Amino acid sequence: MEAHDDTIRNFGIIAHIDAGKTTLTERILHETGQLRVCGAVEDGTTVSDYLLQERERGISIVSAAVTCPWRGMHLTLLDTPGHIDFTAEVERSLRVMDAAVAVFCAVSGVQAQSEMIWRRAKNYGLPGLAFVNKLDRDGADFEGVLAQMSRLFGETKPLPLMRPLKDANGHLTGIVDLVTGQPVGPVCTASLDDLELALWDGRHALLETLAECDDDAMAAFLEGRFPERGDLLASIRRATLKNAVIPVLCGSARTGWCVRALLDAVAAFLPSPKERLESSAGKRCFSISEAKLASPAGGTYAVMSVVKSIRSPWPGDYVAVRIYSGVVRKGTQLVDCNRDLTWSVGAVWRLNASDVEEISEAHAGEVVGLAASPESPLPCFRAGDTLVEEGAPRFRLAKMRFPEPVLSLVLEGIAAEDRQALPNALSALVEEDPTLRWKQGPQDGQCTISGLGELHLQVVRERLFSEHRVSTRAGRPLVAYRATVAEPCRITREFKRQLSPTLAIQAQVEIQFEPLPQNSGAIVEFPFRNSTSLPKECCEAIQQAVTEFVNGGSPSGFPLTNTRITVLEVSSQSPDTSEPVFLTATRLALVDALCQAREVVLEPVMRLEVSAPAPQIGAILNDLNARRAKVLQVETLPDQSACAVALVPVAEMISYATSLRSLTAGRALFTAEPAALEPRPGQDK
C-alpha cells in the first residue's frame, strides 16, 4: 500500500521484560493479516525475535521493525527489548517513533523497567496508550494497575477506556468498552445489571478525568450528559496528543482479546508524523522549516536520522532510517552531516524484522531500510547520524544519548584464526550497538569489550560465534570505572630540549581543568586555535593528545567524565619544533593539571529493585547491606510480597543473579538500571 503522512502511525511497544510485548506484536501481525498463524516466544517462532540468542533465551535483544495495514492506515511498530542491558535499542526506538504503547502485566503491575522506560518516553514528549495484558490469568488486577499508574506517572493521568467484569470469586466474566458501550474480548457471561452498572461507573470516571483537560468534555460533564461517540473520540485524541492522559485498554495478547480495539485506538488517538513534528517536542527534534529544504526540482530535500546499521550476510548490509522530509529512491545520493560522508542508496526496503521487501520509494514519516550495493558499500553510519540528500543544507538533528558502559570483559580468540578475526568482528558489532565498546589489550592477541551488564557481554560473545564464527575465552567481568577532578586548576607546562649546540626544540601549553555536574561527560575545548599560527599538523597533535588522555590515557587508566578540559594557549619559540614536541608537551601538561586538580576515581552505581515473598525480604536486605548498598525504600505489596529499592555499586552486582537465586530458591526477581557515578571508597581526601 502507498503511505501518506496522515495515514501513517509509527509507535514503539515498550514494557518490562516478560510483560508480553513480543506476543502482542505477533498478535497484531495476525489480526492485520500479515500472519496466518501466531508464533510463540517459548517455541522461538515469533517474527520479531529473529536472532538465535533471542529464540534460545525467550527475550528480545534488538528492536525489530514490522509494518502492517489497518483500516486504511499504515502502521510501523518497533518491538523493543525489556531488559536493561539492551536499553540502547529502546532509546533509539523512542527517538524516532511518534508514540508509544506501554504494555503492563495485569498480575505484576507497573514493574521497575516499565516505569523507567515510560519516564524516558516522557522525556521525548511521546504521547501513548497503555495495554494491560494477561487479563486471562489468575490474580489479574486491572484496578491495581490503574492505581499504580496514577501514583507513578505524574501529570499524565490514566484514562481507562475499558472495564473488566468479575464474578464473586474474582473470575473474569467479560470486558466492557466504555466508548461503544458494548462487551468486547471474551464471551460475556455477566448479568445485564452488572454490565450496566460497570458501564455507568466507568463512563462517569472516564468523563470526570477527561473533563480536567478538555473543554468540550468539561461542558458535557457539567451538563450531566455523556458525549456522542465522535465528540468523545475527538476529546480523547486532543488530551492524548498533549500528554494530559494515557488511554488504557485491557485484554490478553495470548488469546487475542481486545487487540483489535487496541489497533483502533492506535489509529484514532496516536499522532501522524506531521502532527508529531508540529508538537513542541517534535520541533526540538526537527526544527528546520520546509522552506529551507525546498528543492529546485520541486518538493523538499530528503532528510533522515539513522536508527542503526546492520551488517548481515542476509538480506545484506543496510541502514535503518526514519525519514523526516522528502522522498528516497534507489540511487539517491545521501550525505552524512556528522562526518561529511557521501553514499548512494542501493535499494529501499520495507522492514519486517529479519525479512525485507523492496519498494520503489519511501516518503516522509516512514521507517525503512536503505540497502548497500556492490558499487557503493555501506559506510560506518552511527545511530543518530543525520543524512540529507545531496544539495540540501547541512545541519544536524537532535542527538541520541546512550548510557555509558559499566562492565568490561577481556576476550581472547581460542585459535589463531579466531584471534585474527576478533577485531573485525567486534568492530561490526560496535557499529550496530552504541553502548558497546572495544579496544586492543591488555595483552597481545586480547581485546577488552565494555557493555551495560553481564547479559549484554554474554550475548556479544554468543553473537561473535553464531554470526562471525569467532570462538573466544573470557576472563572475569571488570567494573568500568571513570575518573573526574575535585577542584579547578590552571597550569602552564613547558617542554624544552637542546638536541645539539645549534638545534633546540621548545613548546609551551596552558591548560585548564574544571569539574562539572553529574552526567555532564567530558567536554574538551580548544580556543587556542582561533589565535594560533601553528601548522595544522601541530594543532591536530595537540587535539590527539587530549583525546587520548580523556579516553583512558591518564595515570589511573580510567576515562575522564564530568570534566571540562580547555587548551587555552600554545606557543613555541623554536622554528624546529614539530608535532611530536607539541604532543609531548600537551601530555605532560595534562598529567600535571590532573594531579593539581586531584583526580577522583568514580564507580558506577545501579538502582536495584528486588521483589520477593515478604518472609524473604529480610535475608535480601542483609545481603544488600553486605554489598555496600544504600537501601532507599522497602514496600509491602498487596500479593503478600515485598519490594526493596537500593543503590548498589556495580562491583558488588557481579553474579548477583546467581546469588539471589540461591538465597531465595529462585522466588525473587530483580531489575537494575544505571543510576550515578560515585567516588570509590578508600581514596584520600
Side-chain angles (χ1 to χ4, degrees):
M1 62 179 282
E2 184 180 356
H4 301 282
D5 187 274
D6 58 346
T7 65
I8 296 175
R9 297 292 184 269
N10 297 319
F11 62 97
I13 298 182
I14 59 176
H16 188 91
I17 189 172
D18 200 34
K21 300 181 300 300
T22 301
T23 303
L24 178 60
T25 301
E26 199 77 3
R27 181 60 66 170
I28 287 175
L29 292 176
H30 176 69
E31 295 292 346
T32 55
Q34 301 300 97
L35 288 178
R36 292 182 59 190
V37 179
C38 289
V41 173
E42 54 271 20
D43 297 333
T45 55
T46 59
V47 170
S48 55
D49 282 352
Y50 60 88
L51 288 182
L52 176 63
Q53 291 73 27
E54 293 178 312
R55 294 184 170 182
E56 288 178 344
R57 297 174 182 273
I59 61 172
S60 296
I61 293 174
V62 298
S63 295
V66 297
T67 57
C68 53
W70 181 252
R71 301 192 194 283
M73 292 286 182
H74 177 88
L75 308 184
T76 299
L77 66 94
L78 268 72
D79 176 22
T80 64
H83 200 285
I84 186 63
D85 283 16
F86 311 108
T87 187
E89 294 289 332
V90 181
E91 200 71 30
R92 55 186 167 193
S93 299
L94 294 177
R95 168 64 177 75
V96 301
M97 288 290 101
D98 299 323
V101 172
V103 182
F104 304 110
C105 175
V107 179
S108 302
V110 182
Q111 297 163 283
Q113 185 74 354
S114 299
E115 180 187 354
M116 184 197 72
I117 297 175
W118 181 255
R119 289 200 307 268
R120 292 183 176 176
K122 302 317 292 179
N123 290 339
Y124 286 105
L126 293 180
L129 303 174
F131 185 74
V132 181
N133 191 25
K134 303 183 181 181
L135 211 64
D136 55 330
R137 294 194 177 183
D138 292 337
D141 185 4
F142 179 73
E143 298 297 333
V145 175
L146 289 180
Q148 286 182 289
M149 292 175 66
S150 299
R151 177 167 53 88
L152 297 173
F153 286 4
E155 297 179 357
T156 304
K157 299 179 181 179
L159 184 72
L161 303 184
M162 295 179 176
R163 281 295 173 97
L165 307 175
K166 294 185 177 182
D167 59 19
N169 298 320
H171 297 140
L172 186 70
T173 58
I175 302 173
V176 61
D177 187 326
L178 301 180
V179 175
T180 64
Q182 300 298 316
V184 291
V187 177
C188 184
T189 59
S191 66
L192 185 60
D193 290 342
D194 290 342
L195 188 64
E196 291 181 349
L197 180 61
L199 183 61
W200 191 91
D201 288 341
R203 282 185 164 180
H204 182 271
L206 184 155
L207 191 57
E208 185 178 17
T209 301
L210 197 58
E212 297 179 15
C213 50
D214 185 79
D215 292 341
D216 290 352
M218 173 65 78
F221 181 76
L222 294 177
E223 294 170 7
R225 62 179 177 83
F226 194 73
E228 296 293 330
R229 182 179 179 184
D231 295 336
L232 178 63
L233 294 179
S235 294
I236 296 173
R237 179 178 174 80
R238 287 193 296 269
T240 302
L241 294 187
K242 63 183 181 182
N243 280 314
V245 301
I246 172 172
V248 184
L249 298 91
C250 59
S252 169
R254 184 177 64 86
T255 61
W257 294 351
C258 303
V259 173
R260 285 177 169 265
L262 175 64
L263 290 170
D264 288 338
V266 166
F269 305 136
L270 297 187
S272 68
K274 183 177 180 180
E275 289 173 314
R276 167 65 177 166
L277 293 183
E278 289 175 348
S279 68
S280 58
K283 290 177 181 177
R284 291 198 301 269
C285 167
F286 189 82
S287 56
I288 191 167
S289 65
E290 286 190 15
K292 292 182 179 179
L293 293 175
S295 170
T300 57
Y301 285 110
V303 177
M304 62 210 72
S305 179
V306 173
V307 182
K308 62 180 177 180
S309 294
I310 305 294
R311 303 282 183 178
S312 172
W314 171 259
D317 296 346
Y318 70 94
V319 57
V321 299
R322 160 67 191 267
I323 305 174
Y324 289 97
S325 170
V327 181
V328 181
R329 303 179 180 89
K330 178 180 180 180
T332 300
Q333 295 290 322
L334 298 178
V335 178
D336 185 342
C337 296
N338 297 69
R339 285 167 297 155
D340 203 24
L341 294 173
T342 302
W343 179 61
S344 178
V345 177
V348 182
W349 288 345
R350 184 88 67 213
L351 300 177
N352 285 290
S354 60
D355 292 330
V356 298
E357 173 192 355
E358 186 168 353
I359 55 178
S360 59
E361 59 186 27
H363 299 258
E366 295 188 77
V367 177
V368 296
L370 304 182
S373 65
E375 300 79 20
S376 183
L378 187 70
C380 182
F381 291 127
R382 298 174 298 193
D385 281 359
T386 301
L387 305 183
V388 300
E389 188 176 354
E390 195 169 40
R394 307 289 178 87
F395 66 98
R396 297 181 182 180
L397 299 173
K399 292 183 178 180
M400 297 184 187
R401 299 189 178 275
F402 303 103
E404 289 294 315
V406 298
L407 275 184
S408 297
L409 192 67
V410 177
L411 297 182
E412 183 179 35
I414 294 177
E417 55 269 23
D418 295 325
R419 291 189 288 273
Q420 184 177 0
L422 182 58
N424 290 335
L426 286 175
S427 296
L429 293 180
V430 167
E431 186 178 339
E432 182 179 335
D433 185 351
T435 60
L436 183 65
R437 309 277 194 278
W438 82 276
K439 62 182 180 180
Q440 295 281 5
Q443 297 181 6
D444 290 343
Q446 295 180 339
C447 295
T448 300
I449 61 173
S450 302
L452 296 182
E454 290 181 88
L455 180 59
H456 187 196
L457 299 180
Q458 187 176 350
V459 168
V460 168
R461 286 191 65 200
E462 293 176 1
R463 292 187 66 184
L464 284 172
F465 179 75
S466 63
E467 298 175 20
H468 300 276
R469 297 304 174 193
V470 176
S471 300
T472 59
R473 60 172 66 93
R476 188 174 184 271
L478 304 173
V479 178
Y481 292 103
R482 297 289 187 274
T484 188
V485 295
E487 55 193 37
C489 79
R490 181 172 179 170
I491 71 163
T492 302
R493 183 68 156 85
E494 182 184 35
F495 176 71
K496 186 175 183 179
R497 289 290 185 273
Q498 189 75 35
L499 301 181
S500 72
T502 60
L503 179 61
I505 55 174
Q506 181 268 345
Q508 184 171 290
V509 180
E510 184 179 4
I511 285 182
Q512 178 175 289
F513 274 53
E514 299 173 82
L516 297 176
Q518 277 271 10
N519 301 321
S520 299
I523 300 176
V524 181
E525 298 175 349
F526 301 98
F528 81 94
R529 297 203 64 162
N530 299 326
S531 57
T532 187
S533 59
L534 292 175
K536 178 181 178 182
E537 294 76 12
C538 295
C539 294
E540 290 176 350
I542 294 167
Q543 293 182 211
Q544 177 189 342
V546 176
T547 302
E548 290 175 352
F549 190 85
V550 168
N551 292 336
S554 64
S556 67
F558 302 130
L560 286 177
T561 188
N562 302 335
T563 305
R564 177 185 284 113
I565 301 177
T566 308
V567 182
L568 298 169
E569 188 175 343
V570 179
S571 62
S572 176
Q573 299 176 356
S574 171
D576 298 312
T577 301
S578 60
E579 55 265 27
V581 181
F582 287 102
L583 191 70
T584 303
T586 305
R587 286 171 175 167
L588 293 174
L590 289 167
V591 172
D592 290 350
L594 185 64
C595 181
Q596 186 173 325
R598 291 200 299 113
E599 181 183 24
V600 178
V601 177
L602 305 174
E603 64 176 356
V605 174
M606 307 291 281
R607 182 184 183 274
L608 175 72
E609 183 168 327
V610 187
S611 58
Q616 296 181 330
I617 203 69
I620 292 174
L621 293 176
N622 290 336
D623 180 66
L624 290 177
N625 289 330
R627 296 175 183 270
R628 297 191 286 124
K630 297 178 183 177
V631 178
L632 304 178
Q633 176 184 345
V634 179
E635 182 181 8
T636 302
L637 303 178
D639 58 351
Q640 297 184 349
S641 64
C643 175
V645 180
L647 297 177
V648 190
V650 170
E652 305 292 344
M653 287 286 296
I654 296 175
S655 301
Y656 182 68
T658 302
S659 300
L660 183 65
R661 190 161 50 245
S662 300
L663 189 66
T664 63
R667 301 180 66 191
L669 299 173
F670 80 94
T671 58
E673 61 175 305
L677 291 169
E678 295 186 355
R680 189 171 64 176
Q683 301 181 75
D684 294 334
K685 296 184 179 180

